Amino acid sequence: MRRSLLLALVAFACWVMPFPASAQLTRCIYFSGTADALIKSKAVDASQKSLREAIDKWKGETGVTGPVSETAQKPRPVPYWRSEVDPSLFLPPDVVSDTAYTLCWKGVVSPVVCTTGAKVCW
């Protein structure tokens, strides 16, 4: 009787172990930040800073303190004065890192506008 109970406990533990609860609760959210400047490098830096501020603000508001992963995700342009950005206005190349994807275009008022995007999972 003891032996069969012990065997049942070991079998149950082996069945449960490959499925940790944390793996089932992974969630992701998309963030973007937009900024403008006179030159592309400044607009890229400002939009990346805007993205970082949005992620940090979200972490503070939601109380997420555990590890998060950030991966680059191509953003949709967020123009200030247009409803959409014509493909001929984009300023290649896009700036891509492991954690952020930035695309820029010629603005209406500002010479350069950039949007940076990332996916955050926790």
Side-chain angles (χ1 to χ4, degrees):
M1 176 71 175
R2 265 191 194 179
R3 187 178 189 127
S4 60
L5 182 60
L6 182 60
L7 184 57
L9 274 170
V10 169
F12 179 74
C14 290
W15 179 74
V16 171
M17 292 299 270
F19 308 106
S22 62
Q24 297 173 359
L25 299 176
T26 301
R27 295 179 285 178
C28 298
I29 190 169
Y30 171 79
F31 288 91
S32 67
T34 299
D36 61 334
L38 295 176
I39 59 174
K40 184 177 177 179
S41 62
K42 298 282 186 189
V44 167
D45 291 343
S47 69
Q48 290 174 344
K49 182 180 178 187
S50 176
L51 172 69
R52 172 63 33 220
E53 290 170 354
I55 293 171
D56 291 344
K57 180 180 177 189
W58 170 81
K59 283 181 179 179
E61 290 174 351
T62 59
V64 173
T65 57
V68 298
S69 66
E70 296 177 28
T71 54
Q73 183 157 342
K74 188 173 184 175
R76 292 182 58 203
V78 183
Y80 294 135
W81 298 99
R82 300 182 173 117
S83 58
E84 62 184 48
V85 178
D86 186 87
S88 66
L89 297 175
F90 284 103
L91 299 169
D94 294 346
V95 179
V96 183
S97 70
D98 290 340
T99 59
Y101 191 116
T102 304
L103 52 90
C104 301
W105 61 92
K106 296 174 188 173
V108 174
V109 176
S110 300
V112 181
V113 182
C114 297
T115 296
T116 301
K119 181 173 72 169
V120 176
C121 298
W122 71 103

